[in-house]
Amino acid sequence: MAVTVGASRLGLGMLRRLPAEARPLIRPGTVPTGVVHLGLGAFHRAHQAVFTEAAVGAAGGDWGIVAVAPRSSAVVEAIAAQDNLFSVSALSAAGSATRVVGALSGVRHAPSDPDAVVALLADPAVRVVTLTVTEKAYQLDPVTGQLSPDSALAADLAGGAPSTVPGLLLRGLVARAAADAGPVALVSCDNLPANGRRLRGMLDQAVDRASGVPTGLVEWVAANVTCPGTMVDRIVPASTPETIEAARRALGVTDLAAVAAEPYAQWVIEDDFPGGRPGWEFAGAVLTDDAGPWERLKLRALNGVHSAIAYLGALAGRETIADALEIPHLRDVLRQLIAEDVAASFTPPDGVRVVDYGEQALARFGNPAIHHRTLQVAIDGSQKLPQRVLHTIADLRAAGRSARWGALVVASWLRFALGYADDGRPLPFQDPLAGPIRAALDAGAQSPAGAVDAVFALRDVIPVEVAEDDEVRADVIAWLTALERHGVEATLAGAR
């Protein structure tokens, strides 16, 4: 579908033409910068920018955001041409609601002018730096947590013009310390386990390994820089030409930076901000001393269930998550997974019932307006399953409980990794460990038991306490046997 670009482009001059309910809560240029955000993707625009605008609108403060794109310049150019405005459409079965967001006080393209980004990070007015840069940009080995030997990062640490996220942060903190610009909080908003601790580990390693850092930088960072942990949640599909066209119809002007998302949004933040912060609690964020229980809640009751739907749905030939939820008996099986396995595996945050949270998750996944493809959710399973499912299984077994439904998720992933659906159509298996996993499956191809044993021997995928558990092994073999012989629908129909 072609993008319809009308004569009018979203910008400050167009605000009066917008429907009253679609106008921004704050006007760009009226709120000084207090936040720098690294990562100008759709998720930031539909999540942190929305929360921050609402916080400033409710509680005030100099918390405009300068958003920095670490790679592509296209979105920077689109937003700059629109006076730092963009729109977010909340999509549901009942329809959509589109609103323009005015949280951004500026945009920058880091590769074009890294010195300008460093100067922002050293600005005393900036007291919060948030990040949505994806796991890869942290340059950390997912198993050891050590910085990678990437050549670009090595050049950054040797004193070259910063081109990586660790390099930008390091150079910015060096400049900030030299300017005596005051404390700052660095806030990871990426879907990483213990994201605050990971960011801190990355930062400390970068400071330790860098050449020519000023004397006393380690002590300055320890005294002036915090890395609060967070949990972020909102389903934000990639923008398409249809996203832009729908925003144009809703607003009457063209927005080339439009994003769409589900109505639901959650942000849990550890309240550790030495230089102050926006009043995010007035926008509905949860401020806490420990984001860990919230992270486990999301990983196990939402992300783990999401993965289960993706693998079973893809095997059954369903294109989207919402379509997959219509497979007979799948909702009942997922409710048993949540109630019998997930809810029993950990202590949730105070006041939260895991079963209720899981029911809300199923309602969100069933939103027909969010076209989240099963194959998209199914990628990188070897990286996702440990936090989403395998830790649930390990905790249940340590407590002497069955993990039968978690074993079904593992079996569905193994069946998906074989590369074909129930009707024989090929399925793409995208995973950083695709080679070893496929080799293991080939080695054990003579039987489901052989396949399970071969993959369970991969310690980069299956933790030892799960791999050596005979009951878990037997459950996974039983489910995999059923899926291979009967397919998804018949297996779910027979599940008890």
Side-chain angles (χ1 to χ4, degrees):
M1 174 180 175
V3 177
T4 301
V5 181
S8 299
R9 178 87 172 266
L10 179 62
L12 292 174
M14 294 292 118
L15 291 184
R16 290 185 179 179
R17 291 183 50 180
L18 300 180
E21 65 276 10
R23 294 171 189 165
L25 298 178
I26 58 177
R27 184 183 177 99
T30 63
V31 177
T33 299
V35 179
V36 168
H37 181 81
L38 301 182
L40 190 46
F43 186 80
H44 167 66
R45 305 201 303 276
H47 191 274
Q48 296 89 33
V50 171
F51 272 95
T52 301
E53 183 191 48
V56 173
D62 295 343
W63 298 110
I65 303 170
V66 172
V68 178
R71 293 183 300 277
S72 173
S73 62
V75 70
V76 172
E77 294 166 358
I79 292 176
Q82 297 175 177
D83 298 325
N84 301 321
L85 295 168
F86 62 89
S87 65
V88 177
S89 296
L91 308 179
S92 70
S96 64
T98 302
R99 190 175 66 78
V100 173
V101 177
L104 300 186
S105 54
V107 287
R108 300 287 187 275
H109 182 233
S112 299
D113 194 354
D115 289 342
V117 179
V118 169
L120 277 170
L121 296 174
D123 187 338
V126 171
R127 289 96 78 201
V128 175
V129 178
T130 53
L131 300 89
T132 52
V133 292
T134 76
E135 182 172 4
K136 183 178 180 181
Y138 288 77
Q139 303 272 349
L140 293 172
D141 183 285
V143 177
T144 66
Q146 297 299 302
L147 277 175
S148 75
D150 177 81
S151 58
L153 175 58
D156 282 5
L157 298 181
S163 62
T164 66
V165 169
L168 281 169
L169 290 176
L170 174 67
R171 192 66 59 80
L173 293 178
V174 168
R176 191 174 187 92
D180 193 22
V184 64
L186 307 183
V187 188
S188 172
C189 301
D190 284 292
N191 278 312
L192 300 173
N195 56 13
R197 291 196 296 275
R198 288 211 176 194
L199 177 56
R200 186 79 204 199
M202 177 263 277
L203 178 64
D204 288 345
Q205 290 181 64
V207 171
D208 183 61
R209 296 186 188 184
S211 302
V213 297
T215 301
L217 182 65
V218 171
E219 292 77 12
W220 185 91
V221 169
N224 290 277
V225 180
T226 62
C227 297
T230 68
M231 186 276 276
V232 297
D233 190 8
R234 192 175 196 182
I235 298 173
V236 185
S239 295
T240 66
E242 287 78 8
T243 308
I244 295 170
E245 175 58 20
R248 186 197 64 80
R249 291 195 302 268
L251 299 174
V253 296
T254 296
D255 172 15
L256 294 183
V259 294
E262 65 170 332
Y264 179 92
Q266 186 176 44
W267 196 3
V268 178
I269 312 164
E270 292 176 353
D271 198 0
D272 188 10
F273 292 81
R277 59 167 176 79
W280 286 311
E281 66 271 32
F282 295 99
V286 175
L287 278 296
T288 181
D289 293 331
D290 181 10
W294 293 94
E295 177 187 290
R296 287 187 287 277
L297 176 70
K298 184 197 173 195
L299 284 169
R300 299 183 183 195
L302 185 124
N303 297 134
V305 173
H306 211 196
S307 290
I309 300 168
Y311 298 130
L312 293 166
L315 291 170
R318 304 301 176 100
E319 182 178 358
T320 70
I321 295 293
D323 291 340
L325 271 176
E326 299 307 313
I327 297 172
H329 308 290
L330 179 55
R331 287 180 186 267
D332 292 338
V333 166
L334 295 172
R335 289 186 174 107
Q336 288 175 286
L337 167 66
I338 294 164
E340 297 177 21
D341 283 16
V342 174
S345 72
F346 76 109
T347 301
D350 290 343
V352 175
R353 293 185 70 249
V354 176
V355 170
D356 293 343
Y357 180 91
E359 198 64 36
Q360 181 186 52
L362 292 178
R364 293 169 59 194
F365 293 148
N367 183 346
I370 300 296
H371 302 290
H372 218 170
R373 298 174 63 243
T374 53
L375 293 179
Q376 179 186 357
V377 179
I379 66 172
D380 297 344
S382 69
Q383 311 301 298
K384 296 174 179 176
L385 281 183
Q387 296 83 20
R388 296 183 176 198
V389 179
L390 297 176
H391 290 174
T392 297
I393 293 174
D395 287 345
L396 286 170
R397 298 298 297 137
R401 302 180 65 102
S402 167
R404 181 167 177 259
W405 301 109
L408 170 61
V409 186
V410 177
S412 67
W413 170 66
L414 291 175
R415 175 68 185 80
F416 176 83
L418 290 171
Y420 58 92
D422 289 348
D423 62 4
R425 285 182 294 177
L427 292 172
F429 182 56
Q430 300 179 50
D431 194 287
L433 297 179
I437 292 168
R438 279 278 172 78
L441 289 171
D442 289 344
Q446 68 276 11
S447 69
V452 171
D453 286 345
V455 174
F456 272 31
L458 299 176
R459 289 294 178 265
D460 287 346
V461 181
I462 310 295
V464 62
E465 63 269 29
V466 174
E468 295 182 354
D469 189 308
D470 289 340
E471 182 176 319
V472 173
R473 175 182 174 276
D475 284 342
V476 175
I477 291 170
W479 284 119
L480 183 58
T481 300
L483 289 168
E484 288 193 351
R485 290 180 180 175
H486 309 300
V488 168
E489 294 197 22
T491 296
L492 296 179
R496 293 290 184 272

